Amino acid sequence: MAMLAFYDANFPFSGVRPSHVPQQAVCADALSEALNRCAMPAVFVHLHGRYFPQAAWPALLDFLARGGNMLTLGQGVFSEPMDANGQHKPQAALFRQLDVHEIQGVNASHSTHLAAGKNFPWLSDSLTQLDLNLTTSTDSFVLMPTKTKDQPLDSGSAGPMDARIYPLLMCMDAQQNHIASPIVLIERLRGTMGGSRQIFANITPDETFWQQGGMALLEQLAEHASHGVTECWLKPDFACYEPGEHATLTLQAEALGSAVGQNWTANITTMYRDAVIDQQELQLNTQQSGIQSVRFILPKTIEAGLYTLHAEFKSELGDVIHLQQGFWGRDAELLARGTRMSAGRDYFIRDGKTTPIVGMTYMAGDVHRKFLHLPNVAVWQQEMATLASMGVNYLRTGIWTAWRQLMFVDGHANEALLRAIDAFILTAASHDLECCFTFFAFTPESWEGRNPYLDPRSRSAQKRFIRSIVSRHTHTTRVHWDLINEPSMFDPQRIFVGPRSLGDEFETRAFIQHLQAINPDIGHWQRAWDLSPAQLADWSAVRPPQPEQIGFNTTEIAEKQHGIWLDYALFTQAIHREWAADLAASIRELIPEVMVCVGQDEALGQQRPSPFFFADVVDYTSVHSWWLNDALGWDSLFSKTPNTPNLIQETGIMHVARANGRSRRNEAELMQLLERKYAYAYTYGNAGAVQWIWNCNYHMDNINESHIGACRADGSQKPEVSITAAFGQFISKVGVLLNQRQLAEIAVVYPFSNDYSNRRSTLDATQALVRNLAFEFGANLRAVGDHDLSSLFAAPPKLLLLPCPQNIDAACWQQIEQLLALHSITVLLTGPATLDRYFNTCQRVPFSQADIRNLSREETLQIGEQAYRASFIGEAIARLDSGCDAAGNAERIEHFSLGKGQIIWCPLPLELNANPDTLSALYQYALNAADIQPAWQWQGKSPAGVFMQQQQFAAHTLWIAVNESSREHALHWQAGVHTYRTILSAGRALMWLTDQQGNIVDSLWQHPVEKL
């Protein structure tokens, strides 16, 4: 082989230097010229790890672009380039040009043994030469080789698989989990470096490494690298065959770029029910250009069940590549095994037992979002087995992009993709995993229609698309259907930003019909929107508004519209509900008892579809807790509707960069944040959590997706995997005991009329409310929307909170009057009481003497005998109104009797003030007035930054504690006649269950919680 090594005795080196170096080694000054002279095929060996001569970097990039191969030794590879003056400092620029977005340190100190990689078992005979201690500190690569989309118009599009990474050496723990990859292989398949093999030994060599044959090991790896990339695939025509069919498969290989063409022998073993049923030896010659392939047929007809295949490729030069593959014989008995999961009020039910969720989003570890196009049942089988062993009971998957690939022509679905879906569901069912399959993402595919939600052509095609999948699973018990992931209305090119009109005739007509159903008099809308008859002469003048036409700001340069935005936003809610109801009905025509859902994200702060508007047409709702890490309790509370379970259906940790572009959080911090997110997923009666995602997806043009995942790009498990396993173990023990949850005595009305307006403040107000009541009072809450208070009539709270609604809809206040006519409820209203839904003053019972005025930066509020300061900072004095009495005073709390209840009115919009102590005093005042006693109390001073909540069930109590502070806290509290204590580490979360006698039943991590 042609080899060039870089070693310079005068150049920085991490670890112990080798006693001798390859004869082909050159020094730093000669490196550029040597790289430029190399003829292909060739391999470059870099021995200096993080250090590299900056001047030689262009030559190395050119070497790799010409198909050159590479082997490196050392951690933090290429992270400290040295300039001509001998200066070096940490920098990401070099390794990022190799499509490594970040290098994360990995602590593998708890590994118990080493193993060779499964796909490339080159080191299987060298394990005894490697010291386990050498690998306890290593690196992982956050890969981002994909720089384009294969579906440019799809937000969730995958991209070309330009590179793949494989572990050559694996650190394993005592449970046989793969926890680190000290030596990895990156094969460049396409793009600039196509055909280049790049091996990274991310270890810091010590004396033992060299003494035990380290140089020979490097020479062995360099030999393998020098051959370049031969891309090999073993592919069945279908991932699922019908019993009685014959399985047809393709074996293919191609030498890429400057790779050495070779003669390959493939030995393929097929197994069914753990027995070998076929063995074949096939030949491929990659010395010929292009893909070389062999088609073959398994001789025996297919029976129901799982088939697995193992292929061992051996080349004449000594390369060994192992491939695994699998497919199903459709197993109707397996699909129909057991009973369907159903939805209760708060939790899921299976076989009559409460089933809280510990879930995982999963596509595939090998090809990610292309898992239906390039299915590999063997990979699915192994990874799902791991998930099931962790206690995962819910698997979310689906189609995030390229819907036309499955049904290019309306009404004619692709059989191979349909069978891949069948195989995926079979694999999940074989592990008793409930599978939630998602059809669309962000906006539904339009096919040839003009509006994805309203064009009848689009709607009909969507139903045919869905039914082509669902109709194959009318008797399948472990699958249900998610209509759409994170929907936005209506424009597919403007998602995640609120309602955006397409301006087509279908939307315009539907908007007019929606308004006419509310009030057919055009004069009503002239008054509501403050438009003259010349501006809005008749219905033909009504158009859905665009955001640039609306006055969202307190200061606008041009004259803009106002009130129409609220009505348009509510219209989009109604259309989304109608769309979901229509598609759900189409599914239920086939399977009346199957669950249907919509997977929504943190849309509540974005004026996008909210569960409170469509919960009645689905079986459960969801939230995806991503960005709002300071409002995770708020996420859970205001997506949990009164009568349906709510699942935190995606939760994970977005990549966060520092100002210099480097990652802010290390893997330990990511683990702790995920634990806190999991814990919040069970607060306020929520049904559980589903992590996004099992495998990092580095085949997308998306930095976040390259970082996010329980398993790294090389397949090793991050520390955060232990979080899912811990919750899986805990919930599997206590979940069945969570029966008949008691409703909270405090209910909060979410002011949608304000949140969907052009001058919204609800997001900040409600987050301040939840933060204060949760952290300062440990109060349990429940939520309703201002458009529908019906659930409160059947289960009235003691205290009803209306946090700074500002513009109160008349229908909402009418429901409150009716509620108080029947029940003794205390209502706390903050802010103006006499603004209608369009921010105009109005008369409202019982506020006959109330008025509004502008806020001052500093206000005073008298609560009992004490005066409190209320500070309104930022834009508050420009954006908000204050209530007041006829004389303009807003300093005093007012009481009104109404029906059987009472109203406490704080004229100041206090949730939006900057002094939390003042808000706490008001809430304590309201709790006392409502005669609400705390279910538990801290003993001594309350620990700062600790969220703790108690949820009571028929015979048990669930406790959830989250430490949002940087300090460990000793928790000491009393509940009834019992006192407890435990230790909660900084940034960690804890859950535990007590019985009716106050005894500890179980706790997360088996963490000690002591009953005194």
Side-chain angles (χ1 to χ4, degrees), residues 239 362-377 380 397-400 417 420-421 424 437:
Y362 177 76
M363 293 178 193
D366 54 350
V367 296
H368 308 288
R369 293 192 181 184
K370 292 182 168 68
F371 72 111
L372 298 177
H373 300 82
L374 292 170
N376 191 323
V377 170
W380 304 348
T397 192
I399 307 172
W400 263 244
L417 292 177
I421 295 171
F424 191 96
F437 190 91

Side-chain angles (χ1 to χ4, degrees), residues 387-398:
L387 292 170
S389 72
M390 292 162 51
V392 168
N393 57 12
Y394 175 112
L395 204 67
R396 183 167 180 253
T397 192

Side-chain angles (χ1 to χ4, degrees), residues 669-895:
E669 292 169 324
L670 295 174
M671 180 194 75
Q672 293 178 8
L673 178 53
L674 181 66
E675 183 180 58
R676 301 198 299 272
K677 286 191 163 189
Y678 254 97
Y680 280 116
Y682 298 92
T683 60
Y684 303 114
N686 279 265
V690 181
Q691 185 180 357
W692 179 282
I693 187 170
W694 181 241
N695 303 104
C696 288
N697 181 358
Y698 58 91
H699 291 146
M700 285 184 70
D701 183 22
N702 187 315
I703 292 174
N704 279 325
E705 296 294 347
S706 288
H707 282 262
I708 301 167
C711 295
R712 306 178 186 97
D714 59 39
S716 60
Q717 296 181 4
K718 296 179 184 176
E720 64 194 60
V721 169
S722 65
I723 300 300
T724 299
F727 277 88
Q729 182 181 32
F730 176 70
I731 292 299
S732 67
K733 292 179 181 178
V734 309
V736 295
L737 305 177
L738 304 183
N739 301 311
Q740 301 175 35
R741 184 179 69 93
Q742 297 180 18
L743 293 177
E745 296 179 316
I746 307 170
V748 185
V749 177
Y750 192 87
F752 283 103
S753 292
N754 177 270
D755 199 36
Y756 290 169
S757 73
N758 66 309
R759 199 58 53 83
R760 53 188 176 139
S761 53
T762 293
L763 184 73
D764 292 336
T766 53
Q767 288 183 358
L769 177 149
V770 172
R771 195 173 294 115
N772 198 292
L773 285 171
F775 283 88
E776 306 306 322
F777 294 88
N780 203 356
L781 307 169
R782 51 181 155 135
V784 294
D786 63 354
H787 61 295
D788 183 11
L789 275 57
S790 59
S791 64
L792 302 182
F793 288 84
K798 285 188 175 182
L799 178 61
L800 182 64
L801 304 176
L802 276 78
C804 303
Q806 293 281 304
N807 53 319
I808 303 173
D809 188 88
C812 172
W813 194 256
Q814 183 180 25
Q815 291 180 81
I816 291 174
E817 290 179 339
Q818 294 168 350
L819 188 63
L820 269 60
L822 299 173
H823 301 288
S824 176
I825 298 173
T826 297
V827 176
L828 173 62
L829 168 65
T830 56
T834 54
L835 289 177
D836 69 11
R837 62 184 278 157
Y838 300 109
F839 293 90
N840 299 312
T841 56
C842 65
Q843 294 297 310
R844 180 167 287 136
V845 174
F847 305 100
S848 58
Q849 300 301 309
D851 204 346
I852 66 167
R853 68 165 172 82
N854 290 331
L855 275 171
S856 295
R857 203 282 187 186
E858 297 293 332
E859 299 274 3
T860 300
L861 181 66
Q862 189 74 28
I863 304 177
E865 299 299 319
Q866 187 170 347
Y868 290 85
R869 176 184 174 188
S871 301
F872 295 91
I873 61 177
E875 288 191 327
I877 61 173
R879 295 187 67 86
L880 301 174
D881 291 299
S882 175
C884 62
D885 61 20
N889 297 316
E891 295 184 359
R892 295 192 176 276
I893 295 172
E894 306 220 17
H895 287 252

Side-chain angles (χ1 to χ4, degrees), residues 2 137 277 283 290 309 352 373 409 530 638 646 696 808 845 867 873 897 918 927 958 994:
S137 175
I277 63 167
Q283 306 292 326
L309 297 93
H373 300 82
V409 179
D530 194 17
F638 289 113
N646 186 69
C696 288
I808 303 173
V845 174
I873 61 177
S897 295
T918 305
L927 290 167
L958 179 67
T994 57

Side-chain angles (χ1 to χ4, degrees), residues 609-667:
S610 163
F612 281 89
F613 288 88
F614 62 80
D616 62 320
V617 301
V618 295
D619 292 276
Y620 68 93
T621 60
S622 69
V623 68
H624 299 170
S625 57
W626 278 115
W627 299 103
L628 305 180
N629 292 327
D630 187 41
L632 294 169
W634 177 91
D635 260 348
S636 294
L637 176 63
F638 289 113
S639 50
K640 172 67 177 87
T641 60
N643 299 311
T644 55
N646 186 69
L647 182 63
I648 283 58
Q649 194 194 40
E650 284 183 21
T651 195
I653 310 100
M654 286 288 186
H655 175 248
V656 179
R658 297 183 180 275
N660 64 358
R662 302 302 299 271
S663 298
R664 177 169 292 280
R665 300 187 180 108
N666 60 38
E667 290 189 339

Side-chain angles (χ1 to χ4, degrees), residues 1-5 21-25 38-47 63 68-71 122 197 199 215-228 258-260 262 317 319:
M1 65 175 171
M3 185 178 79
L4 170 67
V21 295
Q23 292 181 354
Q24 303 90 337
C38 274
M40 299 300 137
V43 60
F44 168 65
V45 179
H46 172 61
L47 297 176
F63 172 85
N69 308 295
M70 181 168 65
L71 167 65
W122 301 336
R197 252 186 190 171
I199 298 175
M215 187 57 70
L217 175 69
L218 295 178
E219 290 172 352
Q220 176 192 354
L221 292 173
E223 177 67 32
H224 284 295
S226 70
H227 300 159
S258 299
V260 178
Q262 304 180 62
L317 295 180
D319 262 352

Side-chain angles (χ1 to χ4, degrees), residues 444-446 448-459 462 490-491 501-504 506-508 575:
E445 176 65 35
S446 295
E448 286 75 30
R450 297 187 60 187
N451 187 298
Y453 290 96
L454 288 166
D455 190 327
R457 176 188 287 270
S458 300
R459 185 82 64 90
Q462 292 158 12
F490 289 93
D491 188 348
S501 174
L502 279 169
D504 60 274
F506 301 104
E507 184 184 341
T508 300
I575 293 302

Side-chain angles (χ1 to χ4, degrees), residues 136-354:
T136 57
S137 175
T138 185
D139 292 334
S140 74
F141 291 163
V142 177
L143 284 190
M144 197 181 169
T146 300
K147 300 296 194 293
T148 58
K149 293 182 176 183
D150 51 31
Q151 302 291 314
L153 297 181
D154 293 352
S155 178
S157 173
M161 297 188 295
D162 284 351
R164 295 178 72 179
I165 185 171
Y166 304 91
L168 297 182
L169 183 67
M170 303 188 294
C171 293
M172 312 297 289
D173 68 9
Q175 291 73 42
Q176 302 301 313
N177 295 312
H178 173 197
I179 60 171
S181 303
I183 304 178
V184 295
L185 164 68
I186 297 177
E187 295 211 310
R188 313 302 300 228
L189 306 177
R190 308 285 187 272
T192 305
M193 292 179 274
S196 173
R197 252 186 190 171
Q198 301 168 9
I199 298 175
F200 298 87
N202 296 317
I203 54 179
T204 300
D206 58 9
E207 192 68 42
T208 303
F209 174 75
W210 300 117
Q211 291 175 350
Q212 294 184 349
M215 187 57 70
L217 175 69
L218 295 178
E219 290 172 352
Q220 176 192 354
L221 292 173
E223 177 67 32
H224 284 295
S226 70
H227 300 159
V229 177
T230 298
E231 183 181 16
C232 302
W233 291 86
L234 175 61
K235 302 183 293 185
D237 286 359
F238 297 117
C240 183
Y241 290 89
E242 294 293 337
E245 293 180 336
H246 280 276
T248 51
L249 300 97
T250 300
L251 182 73
Q252 70 180 54
E254 181 181 10
L256 302 176
S258 299
V260 178
Q262 304 180 62
N263 288 306
W264 294 82
T265 299
N267 289 290
I268 304 171
T269 302
T270 304
M271 300 187 70
Y272 173 68
R273 298 189 187 279
D274 298 324
V276 175
I277 63 167
D278 185 65
Q279 290 182 306
Q280 301 199 30
E281 182 178 289
L282 302 174
Q283 306 292 326
L284 288 172
N285 182 0
T286 61
Q287 293 172 342
Q288 304 174 51
S289 64
I291 293 174
Q292 306 301 308
S293 64
V294 178
R295 297 269 296 162
F296 64 100
I297 302 174
L298 295 184
K300 293 186 178 181
T301 58
I302 297 300
E303 300 178 45
L306 176 64
Y307 290 75
T308 57
L309 297 93
H310 179 267
E312 182 183 62
F313 280 74
K314 287 188 175 180
S315 79
E316 57 188 326
L317 295 180
D319 262 352
V320 179
I321 302 174
H322 287 184
L323 299 181
Q324 57 182 340
Q325 185 53 272
F327 59 83
W328 281 91
R330 187 178 178 91
D331 191 338
E333 183 178 339
L334 172 59
L335 290 173
R337 185 176 69 186
T339 62
R340 293 188 191 278
M341 183 177 280
S342 60
R345 186 195 69 184
D346 300 318
Y347 297 103
F348 297 96
I349 308 295
R350 172 158 273 148
D351 298 326
K353 298 178 181 178
T354 302

